Amino acid sequence: DGLPLSQVTNHVLEELSRGLARGQSGPRYFGFVTGGALPAAQCGDILTTIYDQNVQVHLPTDTISTALEHRTLQLVLDLLSIPRATFTGQSLSSGATGSNILGLLCGRDYAIRKAIGDAEYSVADNGYPSGITIKVLTDRHHASIEKAAAIIGIGRKNVVSLVLAQSERFVDCLERQLEQYRTSPRKVATIVTVSFGEVNTGDFTDIRGVREVCDRYGAWLHIDAAFGALACLLPEYSHLSGQMACADSLTLDAHKSFNVPYAAGIFYTRERALLTSILAGSTLPTYLAAASQPRPEDFPEWVDTVASPLHTNLENSRRFIALPLYCALINMGRKGYTELMNRNIQFARDLAAWMLSGQGEQWYEVLNLMEEVDGEKCVPLNVVLFRPRDTEDIPAIYRRSHYSSRPERASSTLIQDINRTKGMYVSPGAYAFGAVRIAASNWTTGLNDDGEDLKAVKKILRNIMLQEPRLD
């Protein structure tokens, strides 16, 4: 017969909530790359549910939802110091995976047109032409790139992560591989995908010269900046704005550093016509058509240039994702987001410094010292990748040499014990013989706490090493 609302509420709060991840939106949840939810974004998310707009068809005299989404996506470009005219195709998605699918979809059609010499060919309409292979060349890609390749028919095995020789530039390795494909007897269409904020280390692909090489070989350049886009707000990373503007398509993720509630991805591409040629289709149900409507005299002309989201997005219907993001943007502004990124990055650097030259040095080894600031090595962005040292100074259960056949168990055991404290949460990192990864992405981390979050993390990591070793 159903339950009264009060019983449903009590059931969720008193029973189901016990099984949810604790602290996932808090200052010391460092697993995955999880941002929190800014109060302004929370407000926007609540109102999104109340208004319950289905953002699909552009009907500007009925609802401003599509126009607000368009303007919100422009505000993101403004924040990143990327000229609005750079990307005429834009959309919101459910996350970086959806945005990466859109990027590879556009890249697929573009690269095949280049490879077969037919500027009008549409894979979306005609399917894949015979006698051609698509290769996605990457630098330390996120797993969602392989998922996207699988979904759109490129195939996971055609995603090729380029392995750079020591001191080799990415552009040189890339050009060598593209030249090999060019001289191959089989036609090869190519998409190049690079990471801005690699998920394990926080590192950025050096793409100097990549744009010119992609143009010369007819390759599509997709930048996955889901993790690291907002780093461009800081002086030392300001060059990233110009590099992101070099992309043919760009992925961002609002539920990471933007600290907007799940699920909110962002996608840009240079040509809206290519995006809509793939997603609009040749037929449209009558009820989804944007009927012509009379405009009031003061109607802004730019509103009529907005595309219906169902022509630029994977879904034919979705919620009003733009509202929480819009609320966060106008609340935080450039100053607020710059301070947020500064806090997260400084937190990671301070923790890494404790492991490098502080008390933590005797127990931990930092693995992602990839940048130099003021003459000293430091971790990039807001990630600390580390593992326990393999020495007599630490409990045996955390030593790699204690597990002769499975040395990665040392780090996995440490992760379990850290998370068992309930004082912080970490996740595994990809590294030979295992690693622990801390990604500081939450707006509350280090906020007006006089260093309490950092002190708490150091205390947990210290106490774990000083405790009596537990039995396996």
Side-chain angles (χ1 to χ4, degrees), residues 258-279:
F258 285 86
N259 277 252
V260 169
Y262 282 94
I266 302 169
F267 176 72
Y268 295 102
T269 188
R270 288 189 174 275
E271 296 184 17
R272 186 169 80 179
L274 177 59
L275 182 63
T276 56
S277 72
I278 296 169
L279 298 173

Side-chain angles (χ1 to χ4, degrees), residues 141-458:
H141 61 271
H142 188 269
S144 61
I145 295 295
E146 293 186 28
K147 179 179 281 190
I151 289 171
I152 70 174
I154 291 175
R156 281 186 288 263
K157 291 185 178 180
N158 286 315
V159 178
V160 181
S161 183
L162 299 180
V163 179
L164 277 62
Q166 189 172 10
S167 301
E168 183 179 26
R169 297 189 310 160
F170 175 73
V171 66
D172 296 329
C173 183
L174 173 65
E175 186 168 15
R176 185 170 63 251
Q177 187 65 64
L178 289 172
E179 180 62 22
Q180 180 180 326
Y181 289 153
R182 188 185 68 81
T183 57
S184 169
R186 183 179 177 85
K187 289 182 178 179
V188 179
T190 48
I191 300 169
V192 176
T193 298
V194 298
S195 298
F196 273 23
E198 193 271 328
V199 71
N200 284 291
T201 64
D203 194 25
F204 291 81
T205 302
D206 182 358
I207 68 163
R208 287 175 293 178
V210 170
R211 175 74 270 167
E212 186 272 331
V213 169
C214 287
D215 288 341
R216 185 154 24 101
Y217 286 91
W220 181 270
L221 176 58
H222 176 69
I223 294 181
D224 181 357
F227 189 4
L230 286 182
C232 71
L233 297 174
L234 307 184
E236 66 212 73
Y237 291 112
S238 59
H239 63 282
L240 296 176
S241 293
Q243 293 194 358
M244 285 188 287
C246 288
D248 292 306
S249 55
L250 177 66
T251 284
L252 310 176
D253 215 341
H255 54 239
K256 289 186 171 65
S257 296
F258 285 86
N259 277 252
V260 169
Y262 282 94
I266 302 169
F267 176 72
Y268 295 102
T269 188
R270 288 189 174 275
E271 296 184 17
R272 186 169 80 179
L274 177 59
L275 182 63
T276 56
S277 72
I278 296 169
L279 298 173
S282 55
T283 60
L284 190 68
T286 303
Y287 75 96
L288 290 179
S292 178
Q293 299 171 308
R295 304 291 195 252
E297 291 184 4
D298 59 349
F299 195 79
E301 292 184 4
W302 68 266
V303 174
D304 278 329
T305 68
V306 175
S308 286
L310 83 164
H311 294 158
T312 61
N313 194 48
L314 294 174
E315 293 87 14
N316 272 9
S317 59
R318 57 169 166 75
R319 73 196 305 259
F320 195 6
I321 301 171
L323 187 56
L325 178 55
Y326 175 80
C327 291
L329 289 168
I330 63 173
N331 173 245
M332 293 288 282
R334 178 177 298 274
K335 182 175 182 290
Y337 273 119
T338 300
E339 292 173 351
L340 188 158
M341 290 301 296
N342 260 321
R343 286 197 304 274
N344 286 169
I345 291 174
Q346 194 58 52
F347 180 92
R349 289 179 178 173
D350 288 345
L351 180 59
W354 178 75
M355 295 180 180
L356 285 169
S357 56
Q359 186 184 30
E361 182 183 12
Q362 60 188 306
W363 305 307
Y364 300 105
E365 176 186 7
V366 181
L367 304 172
N368 64 327
L369 295 172
M370 297 178 171
E371 295 192 357
E372 191 170 298
V373 175
D374 297 330
E376 294 187 4
K377 286 283 188 179
C378 67
V379 295
L381 203 59
N382 50 353
V383 174
V384 182
L385 188 72
F386 68 100
R387 66 185 176 189
R389 291 189 179 277
D390 196 23
T391 69
E392 296 295 324
D393 296 328
I394 69 173
I397 56 172
Y398 303 136
R399 300 178 206 155
R400 294 186 297 283
S401 56
H402 182 66
Y403 306 95
S404 56
S405 61
R406 296 183 59 194
E408 69 278 2
R409 284 189 61 192
S411 289
S412 63
T413 301
L414 178 60
I415 291 169
Q416 292 171 12
D417 286 355
I418 289 173
N419 294 342
R420 191 178 282 117
T421 69
K422 303 298 183 182
M424 60 185 286
Y425 187 95
V426 298
S427 56
Y431 201 84
F433 308 125
V436 185
R437 192 194 65 154
I438 283 178
S441 302
N442 194 285
W443 70 278
T444 60
T445 302
L447 180 66
N448 302 323
D449 73 344
D450 295 322
E452 290 304 314
D453 285 329
L454 184 62
K455 292 175 186 175
V457 169
K458 289 179 182 178

Side-chain angles (χ1 to χ4, degrees), residues 35-50:
L38 289 158
Q42 285 186 351
C43 176
D45 198 56
I46 293 169
L47 293 174
T48 294
T49 299
I50 292 172

